[in-house]
Amino acid sequence: MASADSETRPQEAIPQAVKIIIAGGFGAGKTTLVASVSEITPLSTEEVMTEASYGVDDIGGVEHKTTTTVALDFGRITINDDVVLYLFGTPGQDRFWFMWDELAEGALGAVVLADTRRLDTCFHAVDFFERRGVPFVVAVNRFEGSTVYREEEVRQALDVSADVPIILADARERGSCKEVLVELVTHVIRGRDPVMSG
Amino acid sequence: MRTDGVHGHEAVAGALPEETVRGPAPEAPGHDEEFGQERFLRPFAVTAGDPDTPAVLGPEPSGIDMLSLVVAARVPGRHEWLRPERETILGHALRARTVVELAAEVHLPVGQVRGIVAAMIADGSLQRCGPSRPLARQDILHAVLVGLRSL
């Protein structure tokens, strides 16, 4: 039970914490994007899991169960006195799926960062957000030396519906990242009325 | 209840030196590399082998998630029995903090901190707090849009 010297502190104004997910394949620029717009140096925590959480089928014999950790990077943007926005980069490897569920829970929306040199690495993210009904935009991160594709080409390759915005971006540029996030939130607001898409 | 800490039990009882359990929070860079695979012992050790504060993956029954806000309900350091992690968490929670921020600050996995936070709420050390001015989803979205545009 609470001891006698407990004291309840007077509370200052407490903002609502909301989040946007930054997803994409390993090395697509998620951490770079978070760092570009975050008001703090991105913080890193981690999650511990057992192999049983991996979603692989080789879990015969729990005596061999081992644990590992996954880094989870996040940044913060203070919107105003009432709202603080957190940006979470998803773990890069596909096998850390189970974390996505919690990350996606209650998220305002998601940015799928696509690397056109390895477009297939973001298929999972696109599929995940489509299935969960989490609104998302695709940001095509421009890497030095990568072929420049047109929006239609990327859309076709990713097979995303016409209402999903596809934006060319540079994760290193704060202005560009800001545009991506603005586009996402605009997209979310636009889509708040249930829209059935074919 | 949960059995996923069985290895931790054995390890804590068997091989883990007490200094590892009670040592200061590992803030030195390179800690992870240094300890490598053995690090899986620590998260369970900080709960003092208490299976009721497991590392929690996914939403807890208590409904605490990564962005749940908590604030210290009493002054840290006045309870000698507090484990260092808890004291550190209390210190960081003097103003309202999210669970994930606390995890980053005390250098522990977020699932583990969530378990500790749940226990600390239960024993009255922390209290959950909601936003001062809860907003509707649509109002939040508009506020975020305005805020992002003015970055």
Side-chain angles (χ1 to χ4, degrees):
Chain A
M1 292 298 134
S3 54
D5 58 353
S6 294
E7 45 187 275
T8 303
R9 309 174 58 81
Q11 297 193 2
E12 80 263 58
I14 297 166
Q16 176 126 22
V18 297
K19 62 185 165 183
I20 285 175
I21 310 305
I22 313 297
F26 189 75
K30 302 182 292 284
T31 309
T32 308
L33 187 152
V34 171
S36 293
V37 285
S38 176
E39 70 194 11
I40 54 168
T41 303
L43 296 172
S44 185
T45 178
E46 54 190 31
E47 189 57 285
V48 175
M49 78 207 67
T50 63
E51 277 189 2
S53 309
Y54 285 177
V56 296
D57 52 10
D58 183 24
I59 53 170
V62 286
E63 69 275 13
H64 296 306
K65 195 162 73 171
T66 58
T67 60
T68 187
T69 57
V70 188
L72 181 62
D73 295 329
F74 64 98
R76 193 178 65 205
I77 300 171
T78 300
I79 297 296
N80 56 31
D81 290 343
D82 297 321
V83 181
V84 173
L85 173 64
Y86 290 83
L87 301 174
F88 283 95
T90 56
Q93 293 105 315
D94 291 341
R95 60 189 184 142
F96 301 136
W97 274 120
F98 68 97
M99 277 195 71
W100 288 49
D101 274 326
E102 189 189 351
L103 282 172
E105 177 73 35
L108 295 182
V111 173
V112 175
L113 260 181
D115 175 353
T116 51
R117 298 167 304 180
R118 294 170 290 182
L119 209 51
D120 57 323
T121 58
C122 70
F123 286 170
H124 284 114
V126 167
D127 189 54
F128 177 89
F129 294 122
E130 277 178 351
R131 284 169 184 272
R132 297 295 193 286
V134 177
F136 67 96
V137 298
V138 175
V140 180
N141 196 9
R142 282 185 291 239
F143 284 90
E144 306 277 346
S146 64
T147 313
V148 179
Y149 293 91
R150 286 177 300 119
E151 180 197 320
E152 299 76 49
E153 292 174 304
V154 176
R155 186 180 303 283
Q156 200 167 16
L158 290 179
D159 192 25
V160 292
S161 62
D163 64 307
V164 173
I166 292 178
I167 311 137
L168 296 178
D170 185 337
R172 297 165 301 181
E173 293 289 331
R174 180 179 167 87
S176 177
C177 299
K178 171 187 149 181
E179 270 175 45
V180 169
L181 294 175
V182 165
E183 187 69 42
L184 170 65
V185 178
T186 306
H187 173 61
V188 176
I189 292 173
R190 206 189 297 133
R192 288 281 287 173
D193 295 323
V195 175
M196 301 306 291
S197 56
Chain B
M1 226 164 35
R2 290 165 196 265
T3 55
D4 51 352
V6 166
H7 272 73
H9 265 307
E10 289 168 2
V12 168
L16 198 66
E18 183 156 315
E19 299 81 69
T20 310
V21 181
R22 297 186 183 274
E27 289 176 351
H31 172 85
D32 288 2
E33 290 75 19
E34 190 181 340
F35 285 86
Q37 286 280 56
E38 292 174 31
R39 199 173 182 285
F40 80 95
L41 294 173
R42 265 198 88 250
F44 199 74
V46 299
T47 66
D50 178 3
D52 290 333
T53 55
V56 179
L57 304 174
E60 249 201 289
S62 55
I64 297 170
D65 65 27
M66 292 193 297
L67 291 186
S68 293
L69 286 154
V70 293
V71 68
R74 62 181 172 218
V75 178
R78 289 167 68 175
H79 295 264
E80 300 302 317
W81 49 268
L82 282 177
R83 283 169 287 279
E85 291 80 6
R86 296 189 176 205
E87 228 166 333
T88 309
I89 287 174
L90 264 192
H92 283 292
L94 290 176
R95 62 184 186 84
R97 309 306 299 269
T98 54
V99 169
V100 74
E101 278 174 315
L102 290 174
E105 279 155 359
V106 301
H107 303 280
L108 284 174
V110 64
Q112 195 67 52
V113 168
R114 190 163 41 183
I116 296 173
V117 162
M120 291 176 72
I121 291 170
D123 74 15
S125 305
L126 289 174
Q127 62 186 43
R128 284 192 74 167
C129 47
S132 308
R133 262 167 43 88
L135 298 172
R137 186 85 161 176
Q138 201 70 5
D139 294 333
I140 291 172
L141 285 166
H142 281 106
V144 169
L145 188 59
V146 170
L148 286 173
R149 280 186 172 142
S150 66
L151 274 183

Coordinates of all heavy atoms in Angstrom, one line a residue, chain A residues 36-85:
Chain A
S36 N 16.0 13.8 -39.2 CA 15.9 15.0 -39.9 C 14.8 16.0 -39.4 O 15.0 17.2 -39.4 CB 15.6 14.8 -41.4 OG 16.7 14.2 -42.1
V37 N 13.8 15.4 -38.8 CA 12.7 16.2 -38.4 C 12.5 16.3 -36.9 O 11.8 17.1 -36.3 CB 11.3 15.8 -39.0 CG1 11.3 16.3 -40.5 CG2 11.1 14.4 -38.9
S38 N 13.2 15.4 -36.2 CA 13.0 15.3 -34.7 C 13.6 16.5 -34.0 O 14.7 17.0 -34.4 CB 13.6 14.0 -34.2 OG 13.5 14.0 -32.8
E39 N 12.9 17.0 -33.0 CA 13.5 18.1 -32.2 C 14.5 17.6 -31.2 O 15.3 18.4 -30.7 CB 12.4 18.8 -31.5 CG 11.8 18.0 -30.4 CD 10.5 18.5 -29.8 OE1 9.9 19.4 -30.5 OE2 10.0 18.0 -28.8
I40 N 14.6 16.4 -31.0 CA 15.6 15.8 -30.1 C 16.5 14.8 -31.0 O 16.0 14.4 -32.0 CB 15.0 15.0 -29.0 CG1 14.0 13.9 -29.5 CG2 14.3 15.9 -28.0 CD1 13.6 12.9 -28.5
T41 N 17.7 14.6 -30.5 CA 18.5 13.5 -31.1 C 17.6 12.3 -30.9 O 17.2 12.0 -29.8 CB 19.8 13.4 -30.4 OG1 20.5 14.6 -30.5 CG2 20.7 12.3 -31.1
P42 N 17.4 11.5 -32.0 CA 16.5 10.4 -31.9 C 17.0 9.5 -30.7 O 18.2 9.2 -30.6 CB 16.6 9.7 -33.2 CG 17.0 10.7 -34.2 CD 17.8 11.7 -33.4
L43 N 16.0 9.1 -29.9 CA 16.3 8.2 -28.8 C 16.2 6.7 -29.3 O 15.5 6.4 -30.3 CB 15.3 8.4 -27.7 CG 15.4 9.8 -27.0 CD1 14.3 10.0 -26.0 CD2 16.8 10.0 -26.3
S44 N 16.9 5.9 -28.6 CA 16.8 4.5 -29.0 C 16.5 3.7 -27.8 O 17.1 3.8 -26.7 CB 18.2 4.1 -29.6 OG 18.1 2.8 -30.0
T45 N 15.5 2.8 -27.9 CA 15.3 1.8 -26.9 C 15.3 0.5 -27.6 O 15.7 0.4 -28.7 CB 14.0 2.0 -26.1 OG1 13.8 1.0 -25.2 CG2 12.8 2.1 -27.1
E46 N 15.0 -0.5 -27.0 CA 15.0 -1.8 -27.6 C 13.9 -2.7 -27.1 O 13.3 -2.4 -26.1 CB 16.3 -2.5 -27.5 CG 16.8 -2.6 -26.1 CD 18.2 -3.1 -26.0 OE1 19.0 -2.7 -26.9 OE2 18.5 -3.8 -25.0
E47 N 13.6 -3.7 -27.8 CA 12.6 -4.7 -27.3 C 13.3 -6.0 -27.3 O 14.2 -6.4 -28.1 CB 11.5 -4.7 -28.3 CG 10.3 -5.5 -27.9 CD 9.8 -5.0 -26.5 OE1 10.4 -5.3 -25.5 OE2 8.7 -4.4 -26.5
V48 N 12.9 -6.8 -26.3 CA 13.5 -8.1 -26.1 C 12.5 -9.1 -26.6 O 11.3 -8.9 -26.4 CB 13.8 -8.4 -24.6 CG1 14.3 -9.8 -24.5 CG2 14.8 -7.4 -24.1
M49 N 12.9 -10.1 -27.3 CA 12.0 -11.1 -27.7 C 12.7 -12.5 -27.7 O 13.9 -12.6 -27.6 CB 11.5 -10.9 -29.1 CG 12.5 -11.3 -30.1 SD 12.3 -10.3 -31.6 CE 12.8 -8.8 -30.9
T50 N 11.8 -13.5 -27.7 CA 12.4 -14.8 -27.8 C 12.2 -15.3 -29.2 O 11.5 -14.7 -30.0 CB 11.6 -15.7 -26.9 OG1 10.2 -15.8 -27.3 CG2 11.6 -15.3 -25.4
E51 N 12.9 -16.3 -29.5 CA 12.8 -16.8 -30.9 C 11.3 -17.2 -31.2 O 10.9 -17.2 -32.4 CB 13.7 -18.0 -31.1 CG 15.1 -17.6 -31.4 CD 15.9 -18.8 -31.9 OE1 15.4 -19.9 -31.9 OE2 17.1 -18.6 -32.1
A52 N 10.6 -17.5 -30.2 CA 9.2 -17.9 -30.4 C 8.4 -16.8 -31.0 O 7.4 -17.0 -31.6 CB 8.6 -18.4 -29.1
S53 N 8.9 -15.6 -30.8 CA 8.2 -14.4 -31.3 C 8.5 -14.1 -32.8 O 7.9 -13.3 -33.4 CB 8.6 -13.2 -30.5 OG 8.5 -13.4 -29.1
Y54 N 9.5 -14.8 -33.3 CA 10.0 -14.4 -34.6 C 9.0 -14.7 -35.7 O 9.1 -14.2 -36.8 CB 11.3 -15.2 -34.9 CG 12.5 -14.7 -34.2 CD1 13.7 -15.3 -34.4 CD2 12.5 -13.6 -33.4 CE1 14.8 -14.9 -33.7 CE2 13.6 -13.1 -32.8 CZ 14.8 -13.8 -32.9 OH 15.9 -13.4 -32.3
G55 N 8.1 -15.6 -35.5 CA 7.3 -16.0 -36.6 C 7.9 -17.0 -37.5 O 7.5 -17.3 -38.6
V56 N 9.0 -17.6 -37.0 CA 9.6 -18.7 -37.8 C 9.1 -20.0 -37.1 O 8.6 -20.0 -36.0 CB 11.1 -18.7 -37.8 CG1 11.6 -17.5 -38.5 CG2 11.6 -18.8 -36.3
D57 N 9.2 -21.1 -37.9 CA 8.6 -22.3 -37.3 C 9.5 -23.2 -36.6 O 9.2 -24.2 -36.1 CB 7.9 -23.1 -38.5 CG 8.9 -23.3 -39.6 OD1 10.1 -23.1 -39.4 OD2 8.4 -23.8 -40.6
D58 N 10.7 -22.8 -36.4 CA 11.7 -23.6 -35.8 C 11.8 -23.4 -34.3 O 12.7 -22.8 -33.8 CB 13.1 -23.4 -36.4 CG 14.2 -24.3 -35.8 OD1 13.8 -25.4 -35.4 OD2 15.3 -23.9 -35.8
I59 N 10.7 -23.7 -33.6 CA 10.7 -23.5 -32.2 C 10.5 -24.8 -31.4 O 10.2 -24.8 -30.2 CB 9.5 -22.5 -31.8 CG1 8.2 -23.0 -32.3 CG2 9.8 -21.1 -32.3 CD1 7.0 -22.3 -31.7
G60 N 10.8 -25.9 -32.1 CA 10.7 -27.2 -31.4 C 11.7 -27.2 -30.2 O 12.9 -27.0 -30.4
G61 N 11.3 -27.4 -29.0 CA 12.2 -27.5 -27.9 C 12.4 -26.1 -27.3 O 13.4 -25.4 -27.7
V62 N 11.6 -25.7 -26.3 CA 11.8 -24.4 -25.8 C 13.2 -24.3 -25.0 O 13.6 -23.2 -24.7 CB 10.7 -24.0 -24.8 CG1 9.5 -23.7 -25.6 CG2 10.4 -25.1 -23.8
E63 N 13.8 -25.5 -24.8 CA 15.1 -25.4 -24.1 C 16.1 -24.7 -24.9 O 17.1 -24.2 -24.4 CB 15.6 -26.8 -23.7 CG 16.0 -27.7 -24.8 CD 14.8 -28.4 -25.5 OE1 13.7 -28.0 -25.2 OE2 15.0 -29.3 -26.3
H64 N 15.9 -24.6 -26.2 CA 16.8 -23.9 -27.1 C 16.4 -22.4 -27.3 O 17.0 -21.7 -28.1 CB 17.0 -24.6 -28.4 CG 17.5 -26.0 -28.3 ND1 18.7 -26.2 -27.6 CD2 17.1 -27.2 -28.7 CE1 19.0 -27.5 -27.7 NE2 18.0 -28.1 -28.3
K65 N 15.3 -22.0 -26.6 CA 14.8 -20.7 -26.9 C 15.8 -19.7 -26.4 O 16.4 -19.7 -25.3 CB 13.5 -20.5 -26.1 CG 12.7 -19.3 -26.5 CD 11.3 -19.4 -26.0 CE 11.2 -19.2 -24.5 NZ 9.8 -19.1 -24.2
T66 N 16.1 -18.7 -27.3 CA 17.1 -17.7 -26.9 C 16.4 -16.3 -27.1 O 15.3 -16.3 -27.7 CB 18.3 -17.7 -27.8 OG1 17.9 -17.6 -29.1 CG2 19.1 -19.0 -27.6
T67 N 16.9 -15.3 -26.6 CA 16.4 -14.0 -26.7 C 17.3 -13.1 -27.5 O 18.5 -13.4 -27.5 CB 16.1 -13.4 -25.4 OG1 17.3 -13.2 -24.7 CG2 15.1 -14.2 -24.6
T68 N 16.8 -12.1 -28.1 CA 17.6 -11.1 -28.8 C 16.9 -9.8 -28.6 O 15.8 -9.7 -28.0 CB 17.8 -11.5 -30.2 OG1 18.7 -10.6 -30.8 CG2 16.5 -11.4 -31.0
T69 N 17.6 -8.8 -29.0 CA 17.0 -7.4 -28.9 C 16.9 -6.8 -30.2 O 17.6 -7.0 -31.1 CB 17.8 -6.5 -27.9 OG1 19.1 -6.5 -28.5 CG2 17.8 -7.1 -26.5
V70 N 15.9 -5.9 -30.3 CA 15.7 -5.1 -31.6 C 15.7 -3.7 -31.2 O 15.1 -3.3 -30.3 CB 14.3 -5.4 -32.1 CG1 14.2 -4.7 -33.5 CG2 14.0 -6.9 -32.2
A71 N 16.5 -2.9 -31.9 CA 16.6 -1.5 -31.6 C 15.3 -0.8 -32.1 O 14.8 -1.2 -33.1 CB 17.8 -0.9 -32.3
L72 N 14.9 0.1 -31.3 CA 13.7 0.9 -31.7 C 14.0 2.3 -31.6 O 14.2 2.8 -30.5 CB 12.5 0.5 -30.8 CG 11.2 1.1 -31.0 CD1 10.6 0.7 -32.3 CD2 10.2 0.7 -29.9
D73 N 14.1 3.0 -32.7 CA 14.5 4.4 -32.7 C 13.2 5.3 -32.7 O 12.3 5.0 -33.5 CB 15.4 4.8 -33.9 CG 16.7 4.0 -33.8 OD1 17.2 3.8 -32.7 OD2 17.3 3.7 -34.8
F74 N 13.3 6.4 -32.0 CA 12.1 7.3 -32.2 C 12.6 8.7 -32.0 O 13.6 9.0 -31.3 CB 11.0 6.9 -31.2 CG 11.4 7.1 -29.7 CD1 11.0 8.2 -29.0 CD2 12.0 6.0 -29.1 CE1 11.4 8.3 -27.7 CE2 12.4 6.1 -27.7 CZ 12.0 7.3 -27.0
G75 N 11.8 9.6 -32.6 CA 12.1 11.1 -32.4 C 10.8 11.7 -32.0 O 9.7 11.1 -31.8
R76 N 10.9 13.0 -31.7 CA 9.8 13.7 -31.1 C 9.6 15.1 -31.7 O 10.6 15.8 -32.0 CB 10.0 13.9 -29.6 CG 8.8 14.3 -28.8 CD 9.2 14.4 -27.3 NE 10.2 15.4 -27.1 CZ 11.0 15.4 -26.1 NH1 11.0 14.4 -25.2 NH2 11.9 16.4 -25.9
I77 N 8.4 15.5 -32.0 CA 8.1 16.9 -32.4 C 7.0 17.4 -31.5 O 5.9 16.9 -31.5 CB 7.6 16.9 -33.9 CG1 8.7 16.3 -34.8 CG2 7.2 18.3 -34.3 CD1 8.2 16.1 -36.3
T78 N 7.3 18.5 -30.8 CA 6.3 19.1 -30.0 C 5.4 20.0 -30.9 O 5.9 20.9 -31.5 CB 6.9 20.0 -28.9 OG1 7.7 19.2 -28.1 CG2 5.8 20.7 -28.1
I79 N 4.2 19.6 -31.1 CA 3.2 20.3 -32.0 C 2.7 21.6 -31.3 O 2.8 22.6 -31.9 CB 2.1 19.4 -32.4 CG1 2.6 18.1 -33.1 CG2 1.0 20.1 -33.1 CD1 3.2 18.4 -34.4
N80 N 2.2 21.5 -30.1 CA 1.8 22.6 -29.4 C 1.7 22.2 -27.9 O 2.1 21.1 -27.6 CB 0.5 23.2 -29.9 CG -0.6 22.2 -30.0 OD1 -0.7 21.3 -29.1 ND2 -1.5 22.4 -30.9
D81 N 1.0 23.0 -27.1 CA 0.9 22.6 -25.7 C 0.1 21.3 -25.5 O 0.2 20.6 -24.4 CB 0.3 23.7 -24.9 CG 1.2 24.9 -24.8 OD1 2.4 24.7 -25.0 OD2 0.7 26.0 -24.4
D82 N -0.7 21.0 -26.4 CA -1.6 19.9 -26.2 C -1.2 18.6 -26.9 O -1.7 17.5 -26.6 CB -3.0 20.3 -26.8 CG -3.6 21.4 -26.0 OD1 -3.5 21.5 -24.8 OD2 -4.2 22.3 -26.7
V83 N -0.3 18.7 -27.9 CA 0.0 17.5 -28.7 C 1.5 17.4 -28.9 O 2.2 18.3 -29.2 CB -0.7 17.5 -30.1 CG1 -0.4 16.3 -30.9 CG2 -2.2 17.7 -29.9
V84 N 2.0 16.2 -28.6 CA 3.4 15.8 -28.9 C 3.4 14.7 -29.9 O 2.7 13.7 -29.6 CB 4.2 15.5 -27.7 CG1 5.6 15.0 -28.0 CG2 4.3 16.7 -26.7
L85 N 4.1 14.8 -31.0 CA 4.1 13.8 -32.0 C 5.4 13.0 -31.9 O 6.5 13.5 -31.8 CB 4.0 14.4 -33.4 CG 4.2 13.5 -34.6 CD1 3.1 12.5 -34.7 CD2 4.3 14.3 -35.9

